[in-house]
Amino acid sequence: MENYQIKIQQFEGPLDLLLDLIEERKLSVNEISLAEVSGQYLDYLKKLPRMPRAQAASFLVAAAALILIKSKSLLPSLELTAEEKESIEDLKKRLELYKKMRRLSSHISSLYGKNIAYKREAFTGVKIGFIEPKGLKTIALCAALKNLIKTFPAKEIIPEKIIEKVIKLEDKIDELRRRMEKTIKTSFREFAGIEDKIGLVVSFLAMLELVKQGIVAVVQKEHFGDIEISRS
Amino acid sequence: MNLPNIIESILFVHGEPMKVSRLAKILNKKEAEVEEALAILRNNLAERGLKLAQNGGEAALITVSEASGFIQGLLKEEFSGKLTRAALETLAIVVYSGPLPRPEIDFIRGVNSSFTLRNLLVSGLVEREISPKDRRTFIYKPSMDFLRFLGLSKLDDLPEYGEFRKNLEDFSRAETNNRENKENVE
Amino acid sequence: MNLPNIIESILFVHGEPMKVSRLAKILNKKEAEVEEALAILRNNLAERGLKLAQNGGEAALITVSEASGFIQGLLKEEFSGKLTRAALETLAIVVYSGPLPRPEIDFIRGVNSSFTLRNLLVSGLVEREISPKDRRTFIYKPSMDFLRFLGLSKLDDLPEYGEFRKNLEDFSRAETNNRENKENVE
């Protein structure tokens, strides 16, 4: 699995990253292939230096669905809630549609600019001299510009709701690390606290990161049970 | 009065795409009569050095692709940028599933497309108009220039276009319902 | 290669009469071959809405006389002296920010301006000249007639001239940077 190297490339969103990972392995879009690439996806997410927050949120929402898929593939007996099932279905459906669009875009790129059909400039050869713009005053030009300047795209404003949702992964990792230094054992529930979905995903990713770094070991004694985290 | 020939002359002078409704007004004819004449004109031009391009209720005369190599050198200011992957994807969505508003494009791509869309508008490959469903929003659609840059005279000539449009109708209806329900929940 | 059709396309785009010798050069053919092709083209166009006019070693496409009344009507409507919102906006940019090339106008407006700009040119409100920076492009500026019409002896007299000009420049610079960054990334 680690033979596949992710190219250091900027992905705009979760769908293009996921589809690239899947297509690199020549797989089709289904839960098996999604489970297979989930590790790489999370790796990629953790390696990203800085991401606009709105973008980070969309990456994390997909990550949450991937973690569900991965967990289900590891524990076939795991029961998913209706909402969880829906988030997986949603991701699959969107990936399928996105894949279709990407394929269709290849038709455009293969034709684009190859055999341009030209138009004729409007009113070529028509000579009518100066047409007085009736009643036009400079103030009208001024007003037109004022209105135009109002429509200039503002620097992207991220809705507060999304900012609320995003918690920095590094903060969580640090928090867990510090806690592990103080206590020998803790649990995921205690660590994550009462958080929304994104918060849980981030906490879970943070925990996985520490496991990967060999700082902590985790044990889950029963399905849905809490995860014990201990210093390794 | 030879309507197809007169339309050919008008389109020749106008150069840019012209709405069928505007042609009808100038010619003092019904839109259906103009559409009929356009069909004849398209046919008249079948073996000629010009083609009739039609897109979204507009018509224009354009050159045949055989001539493009010779014309390229004659012109200034022709757009010839390379399309980025983001631009291509966005374009595909607008072309194959348009006209559609930006949130739908964002949903399919999983990212915010406002920057890419603005560039496509500026380059003239995409046009926007006020949505007939919601006058506060825009919907985006492929322009006649898009067709020209691909050397096509109508969207139907795009590979998989007709097929995709047919499937799309049912699919997008289902998707929209699904999504609206979810947005209400959140 | 269908020479008459290619010539039809070239003359269509070129607009003005073109010397047979120039056509021959573009097509890399002998003048006699071009003359022959022109004869065929003339024949091809016999029943069509365009005609081939030849005069003193020059050729051009022209409209059929049956259409002239309607074309007059179109021109009268198009150049009535009333400015559309798009025209007013484009004109304002040219006045406040000119001389500038079309892509910059497009950037500022966020949409393609070629048709609007073309109309302003034909109405004599705007002039274009070859850009001293890049001989393949044009730059656009307000015509003397138009400045006189506004009663301006110099552009500085325009209301909020300095401020608007700076505003527009800042924006198009930011946009250009933004675009370059984005494209490098993709």
Side-chain angles (χ1 to χ4, degrees):
Chain A
M1 174 165 166
E2 299 310 318
N3 297 340
Y4 296 93
Q5 285 282 321
I6 305 175
K7 276 177 238 127
I8 299 303
Q9 186 186 352
Q10 190 81 42
F11 289 93
E12 266 197 287
L15 298 181
D16 57 341
L17 170 57
L18 270 177
L19 194 59
D20 266 25
L21 291 174
I22 290 171
E23 289 189 336
E24 249 168 55
R25 298 172 179 222
K26 302 191 167 48
L27 299 172
S28 50
V29 176
N30 53 41
E31 280 171 44
I32 299 167
S33 62
L34 283 171
E36 229 181 293
V37 301
S38 60
Q40 272 180 292
Y41 179 90
L42 296 177
D43 267 353
Y44 178 82
L45 223 58
K46 280 180 266 172
K47 272 186 216 146
L48 282 183
R50 258 184 27 227
M51 235 192 304
R53 285 172 160 188
Q55 218 181 351
S58 71
F59 272 107
L60 285 173
V61 169
L66 282 178
I67 288 173
L68 286 173
I69 292 169
K70 182 74 181 173
S71 315
K72 176 80 182 161
S73 78
L74 293 174
L75 303 164
S77 57
L78 181 70
E79 288 285 330
L80 299 179
T81 65
E83 193 197 339
E84 286 167 341
K85 275 183 196 148
E86 200 189 298
S87 75
I88 293 174
E89 278 313 305
D90 190 55
L91 180 65
K92 277 197 298 188
K93 238 191 270 167
R94 291 178 68 179
L95 260 180
E96 279 294 354
L97 181 59
Y98 177 70
K99 185 182 170 185
K100 199 178 272 177
M101 284 304 169
R102 204 194 256 184
R103 191 173 50 77
L104 290 174
S105 77
S106 70
H107 295 316
I108 295 175
S109 67
S110 67
L111 289 169
Y112 183 77
K114 296 273 156 52
N115 267 312
I116 299 174
Y118 291 92
K119 65 180 173 189
R120 195 166 184 263
E121 270 197 315
F123 307 109
T124 305
V126 172
K127 295 202 175 63
I128 45 178
F130 179 66
I131 312 276
E132 198 169 288
K134 285 173 209 146
L136 178 67
K137 301 256 162 50
T138 49
I139 197 73
L141 293 176
C142 234
L145 271 191
K146 263 190 196 133
N147 283 331
L148 181 65
I149 288 168
K150 270 189 224 148
T151 70
F152 284 175
K155 295 236 163 62
E156 204 181 329
I157 298 160
I158 306 149
E160 273 179 42
K161 199 175 155 198
I162 293 177
I163 296 177
E164 219 176 87
K165 278 186 173 180
V166 177
I167 304 147
K168 271 175 93 187
L169 184 57
E170 302 90 68
D171 292 350
K172 275 287 163 188
I173 293 176
D174 274 351
E175 191 194 322
L176 185 54
R177 183 179 284 135
R178 263 182 277 113
R179 209 180 305 173
M180 293 313 298
E181 279 162 7
K182 275 192 228 142
T183 50
I184 297 184
K185 259 189 180 176
T186 184
S187 75
F188 181 69
R189 215 158 263 167
E190 207 177 300
F191 163 60
I194 303 159
E195 301 216 55
D196 57 8
K197 223 180 187 177
I198 296 288
L200 284 176
V201 171
V202 174
S203 299
F204 197 78
L205 285 178
M207 187 184 72
L208 289 180
E209 178 63 30
L210 290 177
V211 172
K212 209 182 103 197
Q213 289 175 15
I215 293 170
V216 302
V218 292
V219 178
Q220 186 182 33
K221 289 189 176 146
E222 54 189 271
H223 301 334
F224 301 117
D226 201 1
I227 303 168
E228 285 177 13
I229 308 176
S230 55
R231 224 190 304 198
S232 55
Chain B
M1 150 168 170
N2 186 328
L3 209 50
N5 279 1
I6 293 171
I7 291 175
E8 187 178 354
S9 267
I10 292 176
L11 292 178
F12 175 81
V13 172
H14 194 259
E16 296 280 332
M18 223 170 155
K19 286 211 173 83
V20 172
S21 56
R22 176 116 193 264
L23 276 170
K25 210 180 133 210
I26 287 170
L27 295 161
N28 198 21
K29 295 277 172 196
K30 294 203 183 75
E31 285 191 28
E33 291 173 282
V34 173
E35 293 281 7
E36 217 171 281
L38 283 170
I40 297 169
L41 178 57
R42 177 180 278 272
N43 205 40
N44 287 348
L45 294 172
E47 305 285 318
R48 290 289 104 79
L50 299 175
K51 284 189 293 193
L52 178 69
Q54 283 175 281
N55 180 42
E58 291 189 323
L61 289 177
I62 58 174
T63 63
V64 290
S65 45
E66 209 186 345
S68 41
F70 298 104
I71 294 170
Q72 217 137 31
L74 295 176
L75 296 175
K76 292 182 206 283
E77 297 199 17
E78 266 297 325
F79 168 75
S80 64
K82 248 190 78 182
L83 294 175
T84 61
R85 188 158 106 171
L88 269 173
E89 272 174 27
T90 308
L91 205 45
I93 294 166
V94 169
V95 169
Y96 282 92
S97 358
L100 77 180
R102 185 168 68 76
E104 279 183 40
I105 300 170
D106 291 352
F107 176 75
I108 296 173
R109 295 190 60 223
V111 295
N112 181 317
S113 302
S114 52
F115 178 82
T116 310
L117 264 179
R118 190 174 202 274
N119 279 345
L120 289 171
L121 283 173
V122 166
S123 66
L125 294 171
V126 164
E127 284 171 347
R128 68 176 183 199
E129 61 187 26
I130 288 168
S131 163
K133 280 186 212 148
D134 179 356
R135 298 197 54 82
R136 291 161 307 169
T137 60
F138 286 116
I139 49 174
Y140 296 84
K141 57 178 191 175
S143 69
M144 194 79 92
D145 278 349
F146 166 78
L147 284 178
R148 288 200 304 106
F149 281 111
L150 273 70
L152 303 174
S153 61
K154 53 187 194 305
L155 285 174
D156 275 329
D157 295 341
L158 260 175
E160 291 187 70
Y161 184 78
E163 199 186 322
F164 185 83
R165 295 298 285 196
K166 225 170 135 252
N167 295 334
L168 183 77
E169 302 231 338
D170 316 319
F171 185 78
S172 75
R173 232 193 321 266
E175 271 297 289
T176 316
N177 289 341
N178 193 1
R179 193 144 30 93
E180 274 168 4
N181 291 340
K182 230 185 280 168
E183 269 165 12
N184 290 338
V185 167
E186 266 172 24
Chain C
M1 148 166 167
N2 187 328
L3 209 51
N5 278 2
I6 294 172
I7 292 175
E8 186 179 355
S9 268
I10 292 175
L11 294 178
F12 169 80
V13 170
H14 187 64
E16 283 159 45
M18 198 176 221
K19 284 211 171 83
V20 173
S21 57
R22 174 133 188 248
L23 274 171
K25 214 178 134 206
I26 291 168
L27 295 160
N28 198 22
K29 294 278 171 196
K30 293 201 184 79
E31 283 189 33
E33 288 173 284
V34 173
E35 292 282 8
E36 217 172 281
L38 283 170
I40 297 170
L41 178 58
R42 174 184 288 275
N43 200 41
N44 285 348
L45 295 175
E47 305 287 319
R48 284 261 312 275
L50 298 173
K51 281 190 302 191
L52 179 69
Q54 279 177 282
N55 182 28
E58 289 189 324
L61 287 179
I62 56 171
T63 57
V64 291
S65 51
E66 202 186 352
S68 38
F70 297 106
I71 290 168
Q72 285 311 316
L74 169 70
L75 294 179
K76 223 168 157 185
E77 203 183 281
E78 197 80 39
F79 302 104
S80 63
K82 257 190 264 160
L83 295 178
T84 61
R85 202 187 119 159
L88 202 58
E89 206 173 273
T90 307
L91 191 56
I93 293 167
V94 170
V95 169
Y96 275 88
S97 242
L100 78 175
R102 182 168 65 78
E104 263 180 60
I105 301 171
D106 295 342
F107 250 159
I108 294 170
R109 292 191 60 217
V111 287
N112 193 274
S113 306
S114 47
F115 184 58
T116 310
L117 207 45
R118 190 65 209 158
N119 278 21
L120 292 172
L121 271 178
V122 177
S123 352
L125 301 176
V126 163
E127 287 170 357
R128 71 178 178 190
E129 57 192 37
I130 288 170
S131 162
K133 281 190 209 143
D134 180 354
R135 298 197 52 79
R136 289 164 308 166
T137 60
F138 288 115
I139 48 176
Y140 296 82
K141 59 178 190 181
S143 71
M144 287 308 292
D145 281 331
F146 181 54
L147 292 178
R148 214 172 291 133
F149 168 81
L150 289 178
L152 293 171
S153 52
K154 56 186 193 311
L155 288 169
D156 280 341
D157 298 342
L158 279 164
E160 302 180 57
Y161 181 69
E163 194 192 325
F164 273 149
R165 202 174 160 90
K166 194 174 166 300
N167 241 317
L168 295 176
E169 270 171 18
D170 287 350
F171 174 69
S172 48
R173 200 170 324 127
E175 268 293 286
T176 316
N177 288 341
N178 192 2
R179 197 159 98 125
E180 278 165 4
N181 290 339
K182 189 96 184 199
E183 271 166 7
N184 287 338
V185 163
E186 273 163 24

